[in-house]
Amino acid sequence: MESPTPDLTPDLTPDLGPDSPFTGVVLAGGASRRMGRDKATLGSPQGTWLERSVARLASAGASPIWVAGGDPSWVPKGARHVPDGRPGQGPLAGIESAMQRSRAQGAARGAAWCLVLACDLPRLEGESLSRLLRARSAEASAVVALGPSGLEPLVAIYQDALLEALEAFLESGQRSARGFLETLGPALIQVELPPSVLLNANTPEDLQGL
């Protein structure tokens, strides 16, 4: 009797724990109307806000890193650009576009999570990202920062398996990133972060003291 042929198919079940691989996304597609110029290009001689956001994700271990929306010429070395698939539909559409591109290029097989950052968080630091990453678990669909004004969906980690639900949410005409997170119920993990690191700049006055 012949011996059964061993199954050499690799196990592609994603690791959803706190040490599992993840992709990074910086959202740079906002209109910046109140600021009067593109916020992604603000910064100092040490780097634009977009460059600093990409560097934070790289230091945290994200690979690959996507810049969703904005001008492709802004994208720094170490990141890739993905255009908004639904222009003018808000940041949730930018998250969708980046997750779709990541999945299409096969990253979903190895990276079960997507760490998302807005580009206008100049005080966000690495320890806050580490706290979010450590909170991941197989029971969570997303891990989101919690600040004084509530959930911060643009400082959050989304499981790749949420992509279909996110697409359906947008197809239904809904655009609220907080609204999408609220559909997750107990599968949403909230991590309270200091208000100072969640400060985002929307007007020229907000730049004072940064």
Side-chain angles (χ1 to χ4, degrees):
M1 183 175 179
E2 294 183 5
S3 301
T5 302
D7 183 5
L8 300 180
T9 304
D11 181 7
L12 299 178
T13 302
D15 173 11
L16 297 174
D19 297 320
S20 57
F22 62 98
T23 59
V25 175
V26 183
L27 299 172
S32 302
R33 292 186 182 92
R34 286 183 288 169
M35 183 64 71
R37 58 174 292 191
D38 291 301
K39 289 187 282 185
T41 64
L42 294 172
S44 68
Q46 287 69 46
T48 66
W49 286 0
L50 178 56
E51 290 169 338
R52 288 158 63 182
S53 296
V54 168
R56 288 189 195 104
L57 287 171
S59 295
S63 179
I65 298 171
W66 303 94
V67 174
D71 189 325
S73 68
W74 300 339
V75 178
K77 183 178 180 180
R80 311 175 196 178
H81 182 260
V82 56
D84 277 339
R86 304 175 194 260
Q89 296 301 302
L92 194 62
I95 296 171
E96 175 198 39
S97 297
M99 291 180 72
Q100 288 172 335
R101 181 65 61 87
S102 182
R103 170 103 44 107
Q105 296 200 358
R109 290 189 163 199
W113 298 93
C114 184
L115 174 53
V116 173
L117 299 180
C119 71
D120 60 348
L121 297 161
R123 291 183 176 174
L124 190 68
E125 28 68 28
E127 173 54 28
S128 293
L129 299 187
S130 295
R131 289 180 61 186
L132 294 175
L133 291 164
R134 290 195 298 266
R136 290 176 294 167
S137 75
E139 291 74 36
S141 292
V143 180
V144 61
L146 179 65
S149 60
L151 297 177
E152 297 285 349
L154 308 188
V155 186
I157 313 176
Y158 296 83
Q159 194 184 130
D160 172 79
L162 282 176
L163 178 56
E164 286 75 16
L166 192 157
E167 290 171 334
F169 186 85
L170 288 165
E171 283 295 326
S172 72
Q174 301 180 80
R175 296 173 52 187
S176 169
R178 283 187 178 179
F180 177 70
L181 287 175
E182 289 166 356
T183 69
L184 303 181
L188 176 66
I189 292 178
Q190 302 177 33
V191 177
E192 188 170 359
L193 296 181
S196 59
V197 305
L198 296 173
L199 174 69
N200 68 322
N202 293 311
T203 68
E205 290 73 25
D206 292 337
L207 299 176
Q208 297 180 16
L210 293 180

